[in-house]
Amino acid sequence: MKNKIKVLRAEYELTQEQLAEKVDVSRQTINAIEKGKFDPSLPLAFKISKLFKMSIEDIFQNE
Amino acid sequence: MKNKIKVLRAEYELTQEQLAEKVDVSRQTINAIEKGKFDPSLPLAFKISKLFKMSIEDIFQNE
DNA sequence: TTATTATGTAAAGTTTGTTTTACAAATATA
DNA sequence: TATATTTGTAAAACAAACTTTACATAATAA
């Protein structure tokens, strides 16, 4: 699953660390998701979606 | 996290078993999600969303 | 250049999602 | 009623998400 987190994070001028704090996960988790190492849980996807004011479907693309 | 799977499943006249087959998980997984025991993974949420032709946000409600 | 900040990554451990097997209870059908 | 189907649930095992610690590299600022 692909995602636009890196781009959105740049638009919002947030470091991985800052984004991690805002959505309550570790920096490594954000890094792993950006690098496609694993997918976020649905609750985390919701938090990211809310923060960036975009739908989950617009941020995450299934395959 | 709440969800409308039970209602959608009824509209589509699918048993838990049939829905499970269509989205490639076990019947117990569907049951657990319907009963709110845990949240689906994001990939599973996408499959369910696609099957019912509704957005993830319309099927799953955060908190 | 040196120091600081940001990113990539890895290993060990915990938590949560999922499977399998199994059985009991509820609901529908004969 | 009796039988079959559907749903609820539970335990053990496994997989995936996530944390913590730690270190190395890349980029930025002093």
Side-chain angles (χ1 to χ4, degrees), chain B:
Chain B
M1 183 141 48
K2 294 226 62 171
N3 69 73
K4 298 177 178 160
I5 296 179
K6 189 166 188 173
V7 173
L8 290 167
R9 192 167 58 73
E11 286 175 8
Y12 280 74
E13 295 184 37
L14 294 173
T15 65
Q16 293 182 342
E17 175 76 44
Q18 290 168 334
L19 171 56
E21 280 170 18
K22 283 181 187 284
V23 295
D24 261 316
V25 291
S26 68
R27 176 181 69 81
Q28 285 77 355
T29 291
I30 297 298
N31 187 281
I33 293 170
E34 278 192 10
K35 306 293 281 183
K37 298 213 176 135
F38 52 72
D39 301 318
S41 67
L42 185 56
L44 178 51
F46 264 99
K47 285 186 184 178
I48 294 171
S49 161
K50 189 174 181 184
L51 179 66
F52 290 137
K53 302 178 180 21
M54 284 179 62
S55 73
I56 288 176
E57 287 86 350
D58 280 345
I59 300 177
F60 301 93
Q61 296 85 39
N62 208 11
E63 82 228 80

Side-chain angles (χ1 to χ4, degrees), chain A:
Chain A
M1 181 140 46
K2 297 223 61 171
N3 68 75
K4 298 175 179 161
I5 294 179
K6 188 165 189 172
V7 173
L8 290 167
R9 193 167 56 75
E11 287 176 7
Y12 279 75
E13 296 183 38
L14 295 173
T15 65
Q16 291 182 345
E17 176 75 45
Q18 291 168 334
L19 172 55
E21 280 169 19
K22 284 183 187 283
V23 297
D24 261 317
V25 291
S26 69
R27 176 180 69 83
Q28 286 77 354
T29 292
I30 296 298
N31 187 280
I33 293 170
E34 277 192 11
K35 307 293 282 183
K37 299 213 175 136
F38 53 70
D39 300 318
S41 66
L42 185 56
L44 178 51
F46 264 98
K47 285 185 184 178
I48 293 170
S49 161
K50 188 173 181 182
L51 179 66
F52 290 137
K53 302 179 180 19
M54 285 179 61
S55 73
I56 289 177
E57 287 85 351
D58 282 344
I59 300 177
F60 302 93
Q61 296 87 37
N62 210 9
E63 77 231 82

